[in-house]
Amino acid sequence: MQLIVHKIRAIIRWVLVAFFGSTILAVVALRFIPVYFTPLMFIRCYQQIAEGKKLKLAHHWVSIEKISPSLPVAVIASEDANFLSHHGFDYKAIEHAVKRNMEHPEKRRLGASTISQQTAKNVFLWPGRSWIRKGLEVYFTGLIELMWSKQRIMEVYLNSIEMGDGIYGAEAVATEHFHTDALHLSRAQCALVAATLPNPRRFSSKSPSSYMLRRQSRILREMRHVASFPKEGEDAPKK
């Protein structure tokens, strides 16, 4: 019996070593290597095939220097106002979301995921709401905040996030929806792209509804209160 227990402990120990070693190595490597594919991209391709739809995967990695400087400002204004100051988690936003969801369960659930959390989920995990996936999201968020700069997190986020049906990243959405490249997206176009991010498969930056245009206007107003996004090596600008 003791031999069996010893073997089980040895297996668990090696599994943990392999898990932590491989995940840390992956995070370190992706600090420098472009993220060309994500789990979500493969999942969406499978879903398209299963539904009998035409396979579409539009994605082209570009450095953050080749993305309009208005786009980081727009997504910060829309998705994560404290991105430059928090360490992966916005605890005030989490507290507000929990309180609001408890007080108004009849309304659509309010989320509090930061750009860092969304990046961790997009690059390393799969969509879902299980506690296991959420726990892994917390783990990977902590790793990228520890090992990546804010500029790298934003660069990966803007290149990997879903921005339309089969469209991933700034360069792809600029080409598909605005017939330009990511660098030349206008301030208004960036706000419109940011407005779709709660559900980019439902909301379109190519054919925006009146609701989307109202969201765009709100984001444009909020962008005035967001300082320009700092370049690599620069400190976050003061508000």
Side-chain angles (χ1 to χ4, degrees):
M1 185 66 181
Q2 289 183 342
L3 182 61
I4 294 175
V5 172
H6 178 74
K7 287 184 177 180
I8 291 174
R9 287 178 177 175
I11 291 171
I12 293 174
R13 183 165 55 249
W14 279 109
V15 167
L16 290 175
V17 169
F19 171 76
F20 287 112
S22 61
T23 53
I24 291 172
L25 181 62
V27 171
V28 171
L30 290 179
R31 169 65 179 86
F32 307 99
I33 301 172
V35 181
Y36 291 116
F37 297 101
T38 67
L40 181 61
M41 293 179 191
F42 290 111
I43 291 170
R44 292 290 189 241
C45 287
Y46 173 79
Q47 290 173 341
Q48 290 171 356
I49 294 171
E51 295 169 2
K53 296 180 179 179
K54 183 179 179 180
L55 187 63
K56 180 178 181 180
L57 176 57
H59 177 245
H60 181 69
W61 176 278
V62 292
S63 67
I64 198 168
E65 289 80 14
K66 294 183 179 180
I67 297 175
S68 168
S70 294
L71 192 54
V73 173
V75 296
I76 288 173
S78 174
E79 297 288 296
D80 186 0
N82 297 314
F83 172 67
L84 290 171
S85 59
H86 66 59
H87 297 289
F89 307 95
D90 190 334
Y91 297 106
K92 289 185 178 179
I94 294 172
E95 182 181 356
H96 171 70
V98 170
K99 183 178 179 181
R100 187 266 199 183
N101 292 336
M102 291 180 64
E103 292 177 350
H104 301 282
E106 75 284 359
K107 295 184 178 180
R108 181 178 63 86
R109 289 184 63 82
L110 188 66
S113 290
T114 63
I115 286 174
S116 301
Q117 288 176 266
Q118 293 178 52
T119 303
K121 179 184 69 175
N122 288 338
V123 175
F124 299 103
L125 302 170
W126 63 93
R129 294 183 178 276
S130 69
W131 286 108
I132 292 176
R133 195 207 61 79
K134 199 64 180 177
L136 289 172
E137 180 185 307
V138 171
Y139 170 69
F140 279 107
T141 299
L143 283 184
I144 65 173
E145 279 282 342
L146 180 64
M147 299 182 182
W148 296 2
S149 64
K150 287 290 187 178
Q151 289 79 6
R152 179 58 177 179
I153 293 173
M154 179 63 74
E155 182 177 55
V156 173
Y157 175 79
L158 294 179
N159 272 284
S160 63
I161 193 167
E162 194 172 26
M163 292 184 173
D165 194 9
I167 300 172
Y168 305 89
E171 185 72 9
V173 77
T175 302
E176 295 280 332
H177 287 181
F178 302 106
H179 307 293
T180 185
D181 56 40
L183 182 60
H184 293 98
L185 286 169
S186 69
R187 190 173 179 86
Q189 289 169 338
C190 290
L192 190 56
V193 169
T196 70
L197 296 184
N199 193 337
R201 301 176 75 198
R202 176 184 174 189
F203 304 124
S204 173
S205 58
K206 184 177 183 179
S207 303
S209 63
S210 57
Y211 169 72
M212 286 297 300
L213 294 175
R214 290 195 299 272
R215 281 183 56 82
Q216 178 195 33
S217 297
R218 179 180 61 79
I219 292 171
L220 282 169
R221 290 194 300 271
E222 293 177 356
M223 287 171 67
R224 300 172 189 167
H225 306 291
V226 178
S228 59
F229 191 72
K231 295 180 180 180
E232 190 75 47
E234 293 181 350
D235 293 329
K238 302 295 183 181
K239 292 186 177 180

